[in-house]
Amino acid sequence: MSQAEPSSGPSIGEIVSREIERAIQRSIKGLEYLRIGDPPVAQTPRDIIYKRGTLELCHYRPVADEIYRVPLMLVMSLVSKPYIFDLGPGQSLIEFLLNRGYDVYMIDWGVPRPEDSRLRLEDYCLDFIPDCAKRMADRSGEKDFSLLGYCMGGTLALIYAALFPEYGLKNLICLTTPVNYEGMGMFRLWSDRKHFDVDRIVDTLGNVPAEMMYNSFQMLRPATRVISQIRLWDNMWNDEFVKSYRLLERWGNDQIPFPGECFRQNTKELMWENKLYKNELVLDDRLVDLRLITASCLNIIAQHDDIAPFEATKDINQLIGSRDKQDMILKGGHVSVLAGPNASKRMWPALDRWLGERST
Amino acid sequence: MAEQTPSNFDPFNAWRDWLSQFERQLNAFLNQQMSTDTYQRFAGGINRVVLDSQKAMGEMLARSTNWMNLPTRDELAALSERLAALEQRVKALEGTSATSNTTRSESSETPRPPRTRRPASGA
């Protein structure tokens, strides 16, 4: 005669009771959800210290009693708004960094106007980023600085670092940054030159419309759009889930146009020819040679990234000339590695541990 | 004889797990279909049609606005660019006085803590 082992976990009665309670909460909070408008974002106090066209260089007001010597500049991708860095209290990488004592700046590229369709990689890497770096040095009084680039912002930061290795760049952080465009998965397939007429798109439209950019991201996971709504309803009782969902959904839907000439250049020279990876990219007669990068480098890769897949991001440290370099592979997707509850537990403290000792 | 206890099977969580799996599989299937040459030719064709019709529409509108003696979109964009350039030049001319103004407001609003922080020692 065997004795039954005590059961662990809830009984079926408790499960049903839990689900009934959640169903009631869903109905109540579901109505609230429909009633409340978009959540506020980018709430961390900052000063706009420089404006140029649509570009704004922001300096976040320090909150710590003492700060690290080396200031940090965040460089966003050209395809999305930068408030992913500063979603809201408790969900802001910038707030976290300020609390940890970093002196934080950010380049907000703004929303491209029709005349910005002429902007090229040369403008961003040879003009805008160096200009902002200089203004940050003037304001902080420090020549050394750190640069953190997210997604294509990281690509811009890499190119800048290769072109200006001696201009004070001490630390380079590449976050889900594509460098090997042969590994770009679906985006590479869809932009195959046999079928993708980039010249016709840019010549007709100028800037690539925000809707086109949005649709291309949605097509990576076409089923997710519907299933995320089901999941939202299922979790409507969970305030933390709903708060995070609303913030990320707002950002995900808030796409911006992509400057036309930069898009053409990105497609032809990076996506088709993979020139950055091969050290063949030339901007304004200057060769972008990644081996010239000597700054300490942290390459943060998201394990389940379908926008900048592992194959596209993993090789940065093999290409650069830095001695102090580290790869950090973290669980998460392209966005969740940077923002959201998991990011605050994984990436943010890991970044702080690496960057803190290199910011003195 | 002791009764067997109820299993730990949670049908609701099982449904949620199934939903996640279904999402993954459906996305993978659709991505597979969208990576075929046939789909890309189709998407490229749709793109061409949309762009050609947009171009034709743009040319027709440009002719209409010209006829009505109104500026075209390109002309307005060029005007905006010139305004932006003028704005830049004015800012550059304002230069020193703007910097000193910033410093004055900055000293009252923006903290300037010492740059002496060290990382916390590891455990």
Side-chain angles (χ1 to χ4, degrees):
Chain A
M1 236 184 290
S2 61
Q3 249 188 344
E5 292 174 7
S7 68
S8 57
S11 66
I12 195 72
E14 284 165 346
I15 290 168
V16 170
S17 173
R18 178 194 75 199
E19 292 301 324
I20 289 172
E21 175 62 31
R22 286 182 182 178
I24 295 168
Q25 288 297 317
R26 272 189 213 109
S27 306
I28 297 167
K29 294 189 179 181
L31 291 170
E32 271 177 40
Y33 181 91
L34 293 171
R35 199 174 46 85
I36 295 170
D38 278 338
V41 293
Q43 300 285 288
T44 306
R46 63 188 191 173
D47 298 306
I48 296 169
I49 63 171
Y50 179 53
K51 280 189 188 186
R52 185 176 167 184
T54 62
L55 180 158
E56 289 181 348
L57 177 62
C58 312
H59 180 207
Y60 288 87
R61 294 187 186 165
V63 301
D65 293 334
E66 56 175 357
I67 58 176
Y68 285 112
R69 180 183 71 86
V70 179
L72 167 67
M73 186 157 73
L74 309 180
V75 182
M76 185 56 190
S77 161
L78 298 179
V79 306
S80 306
K81 290 192 177 174
Y83 62 78
I84 190 64
F85 289 127
D86 190 22
L87 280 179
Q91 299 223 25
S92 165
L93 172 63
I94 287 173
E95 177 194 56
F96 172 83
L97 291 170
L98 290 173
N99 287 336
R100 287 292 196 271
Y102 294 92
D103 188 18
V104 182
Y105 293 74
M106 186 185 72
I107 301 178
D108 183 348
W109 300 116
V111 180
R113 303 160 302 190
E115 60 268 30
D116 294 328
S117 65
R118 296 193 198 146
L119 292 175
R120 294 169 55 87
L121 288 172
E122 285 87 338
D123 297 293
Y124 291 98
C125 302
L126 288 170
D127 189 0
F128 300 153
I129 297 180
D131 191 10
C132 290
K134 184 183 176 307
R135 288 172 191 278
M136 180 173 66
D138 289 344
R139 183 173 172 94
S140 66
E142 291 291 333
K143 184 175 177 286
D144 291 340
F145 67 99
S146 302
L147 205 54
L148 184 155
Y150 174 54
C151 189
M152 194 189 166
T155 309
L156 298 176
L158 265 178
I159 295 172
Y160 165 81
L163 292 170
F164 298 92
E166 306 293 327
Y167 281 64
L169 181 61
K170 187 172 186 287
N171 306 303
L172 175 65
I173 303 111
C174 297
L175 178 54
T176 65
T177 295
V179 69
N180 182 1
Y181 281 71
E182 281 188 8
M184 281 298 279
M186 297 302 292
F187 280 136
R188 185 174 168 81
L189 283 171
W190 291 335
S191 59
D192 189 318
R193 67 184 84 196
K194 283 187 298 194
H195 308 295
F196 187 73
D197 193 342
V198 65
D199 288 326
R200 190 189 288 250
I201 291 172
V202 176
D203 293 341
T204 306
L205 302 174
N207 292 329
V208 178
E211 298 74 28
M212 198 181 276
M213 300 304 301
Y214 175 77
N215 288 336
S216 68
F217 286 117
Q218 291 298 305
M219 276 164 52
L220 286 174
R221 291 190 292 174
T224 298
R225 183 121 187 94
V226 171
I227 290 176
S228 67
Q229 301 291 312
I230 298 172
R231 202 172 276 123
L232 170 65
W233 177 249
D234 188 38
N235 285 283
M236 193 61 77
W237 58 273
N238 184 338
D239 291 339
E240 283 307 306
F241 180 97
V242 172
K243 178 182 164 193
S244 186
Y245 179 92
R246 292 190 71 129
L247 288 167
L248 290 168
E249 180 79 355
R250 178 182 166 169
W251 179 78
N253 291 337
D254 207 356
Q255 223 65 48
I256 57 176
F258 196 134
E261 286 306 318
C262 192
F263 182 79
R264 193 196 318 256
Q265 205 177 6
N266 199 67
T267 302
K268 289 185 170 181
E269 300 194 43
L270 300 187
M271 194 68 82
W272 290 356
E273 307 288 342
N274 210 11
K275 284 185 177 180
L276 179 64
Y277 181 75
K278 295 177 193 171
N279 281 331
E280 291 174 1
L281 181 66
V282 174
L283 300 183
D284 210 17
D285 295 328
R286 294 173 65 169
L287 177 67
V288 180
D289 188 347
L290 297 177
R291 293 167 296 187
L292 295 179
I293 296 175
T294 54
S296 298
C297 183
L298 175 64
N299 183 25
I300 302 175
I301 302 164
Q303 215 170 9
H304 309 292
D305 194 336
D306 49 12
I307 294 174
F310 178 76
E311 288 302 316
T313 59
K314 68 182 175 61
D315 293 326
I316 288 174
N317 283 331
Q318 277 73 57
L319 299 169
I320 63 177
S322 312
R323 284 195 201 148
D324 175 25
K325 50 193 176 184
Q326 182 183 334
D327 287 322
M328 190 182 288
I329 303 171
L330 297 173
K331 281 191 176 179
H334 191 73
V335 177
S336 65
V337 79
L338 165 62
N342 289 331
S344 63
K345 290 179 214 149
R346 292 187 195 129
M347 195 275 278
W348 297 1
L351 171 64
D352 177 37
R353 279 192 297 276
W354 186 89
L355 187 57
E357 56 192 33
R358 292 166 175 81
S359 295
T360 57
Chain B
M1 187 181 296
E3 283 180 7
Q4 279 201 327
T5 56
S7 74
N8 292 338
F9 177 69
D10 181 339
F12 297 94
N13 280 344
W15 173 81
R16 289 175 187 114
D17 290 341
W18 173 85
L19 188 67
S20 297
Q21 260 193 358
F22 172 70
E23 180 190 6
R24 268 193 302 272
Q25 286 168 359
L26 185 54
N27 278 334
F29 171 74
L30 290 170
N31 278 345
Q32 201 178 29
Q33 301 308 308
M34 287 192 285
S35 58
T36 60
D37 205 54
T38 310
Y39 173 83
Q40 286 171 61
R41 259 188 286 126
F42 166 75
I46 297 282
N47 246 350
R48 268 193 301 278
V49 166
V50 168
L51 290 169
D52 285 346
S53 57
Q54 272 189 301
K55 188 175 175 195
M57 177 78 83
E59 284 166 358
M60 188 187 75
L61 279 170
R63 279 195 295 273
S64 307
T65 48
N66 266 334
W67 180 78
M68 286 187 277
N69 209 22
L70 292 171
T72 63
R73 189 172 179 270
D74 286 345
E75 285 167 350
L76 283 171
L79 193 60
S80 172
E81 197 173 355
R82 288 176 68 185
L83 273 171
L86 275 169
E87 207 176 43
Q88 277 298 119
R89 290 172 76 175
V90 166
K91 276 189 187 160
L93 285 169
E94 279 174 350
T96 314
S97 62
T99 308
S100 62
N101 282 342
T102 306
T103 307
R104 276 200 291 278
S105 68
E106 179 190 311
S107 64
S108 61
E109 290 168 17
T110 308
R112 289 280 211 179
R115 294 180 177 272
T116 51
R117 191 173 191 92
R118 315 301 286 187
S121 52

